[in-house]
Amino acid sequence: MVVSTRGRYALRVMLDLAQMGEGDYIPMKNIAERQGISLKYLERILPALARNHLIEGMHGKGGGYRLCRSPKDYRIGEILRLTEGDFAPVACLEKDKPPCSRSGECRTLPMWKELGRIIEQYFDGITLEDLLKEN
């Protein structure tokens, strides 16, 4: 599994909002400047996070974005699943893919399934709050 730029930037945005504290709306421009991410790229990421109720936005003067919940209530796995899809380590385990014709005789399938489970468990075991404490 390779985490895309979109996934990494989404995590950076979420951490940025968590660092700014709860309550205030943070303008997209400020996030872009602090994180070194273009406004154009953020214009694609932030609305997706808002549509999926990870953040909320407000337009106009005093507007911007903020977290919907406390940093302790956000699992990294939740954010990455939104941006990356599932954590399947091989194509034959991706959601919405037809089963592999060799799955009944594949000796490596159990190994790949276990790796996917471990990856998911790892990311679901980390919160935004955990990452804030590490810095």
Side-chain angles (χ1 to χ4, degrees):
M1 178 190 141
V2 175
V3 177
S4 70
T5 301
R6 181 180 169 92
R8 293 191 319 271
Y9 284 4
L11 287 174
R12 284 172 47 189
V13 165
M14 296 294 288
L15 282 166
D16 189 275
L17 291 173
Q19 283 178 307
M20 293 295 107
E22 296 176 45
D24 293 333
Y25 286 95
I26 309 299
M28 187 185 312
K29 178 182 163 194
N30 295 7
I31 299 167
E33 289 172 2
R34 276 194 301 275
Q35 294 303 316
I37 302 171
S38 75
L39 271 173
K40 190 170 186 89
Y41 208 101
L42 282 186
E43 287 170 352
R44 294 188 339 206
I45 294 173
L46 291 172
L49 295 172
R51 269 192 313 277
N52 288 278
H53 310 290
L54 295 182
I55 62 174
E56 57 187 9
M58 185 173 84
H59 296 289
K61 186 175 169 109
Y65 292 89
R66 68 180 180 189
L67 298 180
C68 295
R69 308 181 293 233
S70 171
K72 70 180 174 41
D73 296 325
Y74 288 93
R75 303 260 167 222
I76 299 308
E78 171 186 23
I79 299 163
L80 289 177
R81 270 189 290 280
L82 174 66
T83 59
E84 304 299 315
D86 59 44
F87 296 119
V90 291
C92 65
L93 291 177
E94 290 176 0
K95 289 181 182 170
D96 302 325
K97 292 275 181 147
C100 175
S101 62
R102 298 185 43 82
S103 64
E105 58 199 44
C106 181
R107 292 182 179 265
T108 62
L109 187 58
M111 173 187 68
W112 296 126
K113 284 182 177 180
E114 179 63 9
L115 178 59
R117 188 194 65 74
I118 290 168
I119 292 169
E120 192 162 324
Q121 182 179 11
Y122 176 74
F123 285 131
D124 284 340
I126 303 169
T127 66
L128 285 180
E129 183 176 76
D130 295 333
L131 294 179
L132 288 176
K133 289 178 183 177
E134 290 181 11
N135 291 331

